[in-house]
Amino acid sequence: MHADLNADLGESFGAYKIGADDQIIPIVTTVNIACGWHAGDPLVMKKAVALAKEYGAAIGAHPGFPDLMGFGRRNMAASPAEVKAYIQYQVGALSAFCRAAGVRLHHVKPHGAMYNMAGADINLARAVVEAVAEIDDSLILLALSGSEMIRAAQEKGLPCASEVFADRNYEENGALCPRSKPDAVIHDEEECIARVLRMVTEGKVKAITGRDIDIKADSICVHGDGPQALAFARRIRDTLSKNGIELKTF
Amino acid sequence: MHADLNADLGESFGAYKIGADDQIIPIVTTVNIACGWHAGDPLVMKKAVALAKEYGAAIGAHPGFPDLMGFGRRNMAASPAEVKAYIQYQVGALSAFCRAAGVRLHHVKPHGAMYNMAGADINLARAVVEAVAEIDDSLILLALSGSEMIRAAQEKGLPCASEVFADRNYEENGALCPRSKPDAVIHDEEECIARVLRMVTEGKVKAITGRDIDIKADSICVHGDGPQALAFARRIRDTLSKNGIELKTF
Amino acid sequence: MHADLNADLGESFGAYKIGADDQIIPIVTTVNIACGWHAGDPLVMKKAVALAKEYGAAIGAHPGFPDLMGFGRRNMAASPAEVKAYIQYQVGALSAFCRAAGVRLHHVKPHGAMYNMAGADINLARAVVEAVAEIDDSLILLALSGSEMIRAAQEKGLPCASEVFADRNYEENGALCPRSKPDAVIHDEEECIARVLRMVTEGKVKAITGRDIDIKADSICVHGDGPQALAFARRIRDTLSKNGIELKTF
Amino acid sequence: MHADLNADLGESFGAYKIGADDQIIPIVTTVNIACGWHAGDPLVMKKAVALAKEYGAAIGAHPGFPDLMGFGRRNMAASPAEVKAYIQYQVGALSAFCRAAGVRLHHVKPHGAMYNMAGADINLARAVVEAVAEIDDSLILLALSGSEMIRAAQEKGLPCASEVFADRNYEENGALCPRSKPDAVIHDEEECIARVLRMVTEGKVKAITGRDIDIKADSICVHGDGPQALAFARRIRDTLSKNGIELKTF
């Protein structure tokens, strides 16, 4: 049995620092590197690729909307053609740093609002899948378990991996509870850890309604911003290891 | 005997249009496509690649400074490490559209202020050369004849091609006369045509001082903005053809 | 009886030109100047203010979303607090050029997606009104007739003016038919002219359903991009004049 | 006898945080607020103005080059007309937040590369002065003691204040030693404090050559990034107070 821990990295920009890239990277097996639109800049990308190479983490591109001021978290009414081109641009940009460092680009995971919108809209989802497949159809799409992106990847035959969140509640249809809802985030660490273990081993999670739903946990997203997030990521890692689950990328 | 005509393309941005890409492309053999920093956006890049593919023009990346407001024409005190990373980012981005379209990226030509600065500063020139070579050492660097970029490419063993300008005067050291000088631009079309022919066939041009200097004319840069520029580009093309010079990319 | 013609101006950016500012300005009585976010830059703004001063046109700020690539036409999930701050920033920026030129800032008209979103959402509408009122409560808000922005301005006691469109169909509730609908735009110029005249003199327009609805036509928006748009704007101006309607700003 | 302590504030951007605005503001008497080009965004500007109002600090605009990626620290070959328009735009933007908060804009201090370039080039310096004077000729220009900006302000009759740096060495001509030189920054806090005191009380400082030069210390620039910078700022403040020098804005 195996599972993967992924984290978003390379989110600093110029003089601005976000995230403890050097501390989260020894914990995870897979990283998603921002590509300069919602976060990241060329020097930051280059450094993040070098760090991932050093620790042997699988490298993914983490493209987002052209909204640095909103960190790519605000929905934008971009057309499928725009989303497709935006992803190709950003994946290409990160690819260059991978080639320069002599490492392989492994996957693509859209960021923030683009992740959410393409997760819920089949036309955007197909745009994401086409964007990736046209560049390299061996690239893996990392997307929310049960989302339209997973569906579109399967339609097209693009390799994909399903992502789950340790500390988020799910709707009965498998969607993440929006952060605007009071119980969107689960604050009890024990409960989070137990949920992760169950998602990985049983493929089940209790939705916010109380009903069990199916979920596919190819990769668990963890955060690296702040000592608490790092400690929590380490606990997830240790729990999985103790339960005989090998940690490796998807 | 052969020569090449190149033009800068794909300089539109969002609702903003610059250049008659569809009219200049049938004239030239090589294009340099803006990469979204000083000009261009992902949809424009995709379209420019498709147009180049349709007409069989060789495709180059045309990276510039992060200065859309100044069209990349203003010198910026970017460090060699920054210039290198900026070029890799932009070349990578354009590469993705090439791969998606099933065409090969052929060369890299820095734009505007980056072209001028790296043409005159060996440290920046080496940064440009390293940027390109690390991504793919079969990519050709297109740069001003006699510039530091050509020197750095030769040092490193990176393929390079020397560019000349039909309507610009040269200093005795081979540098372009800065546009601030009164005679920087030659307005007499007959004279321009004669100079191009001589640069291609003899490898000589009369500098602004009146003395002949050596020049290498692997490629002649032409412009496609406006009916006059298009007509002038066609005249250069026709003159070269009539003189038995085959037009093909470097 | 009087009416106003307004046009969006100052939409060029750096080397990129949009609009024939110098040709539309002699036709209209009021201009809305882009403020550098969706279009415009400081030099363009300064020039547009000078042009408006020269022709005696009333000057408004035309703030938009931070989306130059999309020309501010794409909905963005910005919060009311963000929209409020974005408007204050942009109105302030334009004010500086007005003060430098010794002319008065007369009004504010949000642009594109911000105009549409705040026209339909009372919370965003109130954010727009607060933004303007806090800077100067004698500034006039120019907004779609019958929109939530007009309602919010009236609630707050901020002066406002209602805008109509010559060539757009209206829903029965007074909203513009979205451009995605087949009959959103009316192409018959005669019909457009007749509608404008009726909106100004009777305060009525036939909705797309065929039913007459009330409409307030303090100002008519015209376009200046291209010879046809200019000719059409002149026809509207001439028709209003011939019918004894004085053209002056609201 | 009196002196002023100023600090640059409001340098966060979107999700990115820089500076401990709430900790440095109780120490200083004057703040310079970034205006959204090299740092800052509308929400950050609004908050910085509110903080300055709460603590009674004098508020200045801190405009910079359009170079968020370089934090405005990289020289850009912008023309005097561009610099003038860029300053008016940014000063106007900050003014709007001041008006909305019911506080007065007190001064303008260019940032980073713009500060350095306009400090050394009389044409840029005059552009800065014109930019400010055209908006409001009672605004004070805060600039390096002995710089071309001070000279240009005096030429024009614009009020100005001379700034000194506690921890920087000076050339004999009064210019700051460039950071590229080994002794540009003075690391001995005691020495820095003694120098500040002497600059304020005697109007003298020992240049890097060892010779005393004249200097005008209307305001001392302090930093608020990190505990050490804050402690050092407090020491300067306390030393000035203990020596009977009243702290108030210029």
Side-chain angles (χ1 to χ4, degrees), chain A residues 37 66-67 69-70 74-79 82 86, chain C residues 37 66-67 69-70 74-79 82 86:
Chain A
W37 280 38
D67 180 22
M69 204 185 284
R74 300 187 291 196
N75 283 10
M76 280 186 70
S79 68
E82 288 169 335
Y86 294 175
Chain C
W37 279 37
D67 180 21
M69 204 186 284
R74 301 187 292 196
N75 283 11
M76 281 186 71
S79 68
E82 288 169 335
Y86 294 175

Side-chain angles (χ1 to χ4, degrees), chain C residues 123-188:
Chain C
N123 291 318
L124 291 176
R126 285 177 183 140
V128 170
V129 166
E130 279 172 30
V132 176
E134 280 182 11
I135 292 179
D136 177 354
D137 60 13
S138 73
L139 283 170
I140 302 164
L141 179 67
L142 177 57
L144 184 69
S145 171
S147 70
E148 295 292 64
M149 283 197 283
I150 295 294
R151 184 180 144 199
Q154 289 168 339
E155 269 179 18
K156 180 88 173 183
L158 185 77
C160 60
S162 293
E163 181 178 44
V164 300
F165 293 83
D167 63 348
R168 294 292 296 276
N169 254 315
Y170 287 87
E171 306 283 354
E172 236 184 76
N173 68 358
L176 284 176
C177 290
R179 282 178 184 276
S180 49
K181 284 203 181 175
D183 293 324
V185 176
I186 303 169
H187 298 285
D188 179 341

Side-chain angles (χ1 to χ4, degrees), chain D:
Chain D
M1 206 152 209
H2 59 86
D4 172 67
L5 292 185
N6 81 74
D8 301 342
L9 286 196
E11 296 184 330
S12 295
F13 180 85
Y16 295 100
K17 303 297 163 210
I18 280 191
D21 290 5
D22 52 337
Q23 294 184 271
I24 189 67
I25 204 157
I27 302 171
V28 299
T29 34
T30 295
V31 299
N32 317 300
I33 299 177
C35 300
W37 280 38
H38 71 278
D41 71 33
L43 288 173
V44 167
M45 291 163 76
K46 179 190 168 75
K47 201 174 157 187
V49 166
L51 206 61
K53 183 183 180 183
E54 186 185 340
Y55 283 89
I59 296 173
H62 196 41
F65 280 130
D67 180 22
L68 186 66
M69 204 186 282
F71 207 67
R73 287 178 178 150
R74 301 188 291 197
N75 282 10
M76 280 185 72
S79 69
E82 288 169 336
V83 166
K84 181 178 167 182
Y86 293 176
I87 287 179
Q88 293 190 326
Y89 183 96
Q90 294 178 66
V91 171
L94 187 70
S95 294
F97 294 104
C98 289
R99 270 180 290 167
V103 292
R104 203 170 69 83
L105 183 67
H106 169 260
H107 69 280
V108 176
K109 172 184 165 185
H111 166 83
M114 191 186 271
Y115 180 93
N116 294 333
M117 291 177 74
D121 175 335
I122 188 65
N123 292 318
L124 290 176
R126 285 177 182 138
V128 171
V129 166
E130 279 171 31
V132 176
E134 280 182 12
I135 292 179
D136 177 355
D137 59 13
S138 72
L139 283 169
I140 302 164
L141 180 65
L142 177 57
L144 185 68
S145 171
S147 69
E148 295 293 65
M149 283 196 283
I150 296 294
R151 183 180 147 200
Q154 288 168 342
E155 269 178 18
K156 180 87 175 182
L158 186 76
C160 60
S162 292
E163 182 177 43
V164 299
F165 293 83
D167 62 349
R168 294 292 295 276
N169 253 315
Y170 287 86
E171 306 283 355
E172 235 184 75
N173 68 359
L176 284 176
C177 290
R179 283 179 183 275
S180 50
K181 285 203 180 174
D183 294 324
V185 175
I186 303 169
H187 296 286
D188 179 340
E189 281 202 7
E190 296 303 323
E191 188 184 343
C192 291
I193 299 280
R195 284 167 67 91
V196 165
L197 200 57
R198 189 168 177 234
M199 288 192 278
V200 171
T201 57
E202 295 180 34
K204 299 273 181 195
V205 73
K206 196 181 290 291
I208 198 161
T209 57
R211 242 180 91 173
D212 268 4
I213 59 170
D214 291 332
I215 199 155
K216 195 157 183 300
D218 297 322
S219 186
I220 302 141
C221 186
V222 297
H223 305 290
D225 45 345
Q228 209 178 340
L230 287 164
F232 182 50
R234 270 187 219 102
R235 282 195 64 188
I236 295 178
R237 185 185 172 97
D238 293 347
T239 302
L240 292 170
S241 293
K242 277 177 206 154
N243 283 273
I245 296 154
E246 183 192 4
L247 280 159
K248 62 172 191 181
T249 198
F250 45 83

Side-chain angles (χ1 to χ4, degrees), chain A residues 103-158:
Chain A
V103 292
R104 201 170 70 83
L105 183 67
H106 170 261
H107 68 280
V108 176
K109 172 185 164 184
H111 166 83
M114 191 186 271
Y115 181 92
N116 294 332
M117 290 177 75
D121 175 335
I122 188 66
N123 291 318
L124 291 176
R126 285 178 182 138
V128 171
V129 165
E130 279 172 30
V132 176
E134 280 182 11
I135 291 178
D136 177 354
D137 59 14
S138 73
L139 283 169
I140 303 165
L141 179 66
L142 177 57
L144 184 69
S145 170
S147 70
E148 294 294 64
M149 283 197 283
I150 295 294
R151 183 179 147 199
Q154 289 169 340
E155 268 179 18
K156 181 89 173 181
L158 185 77

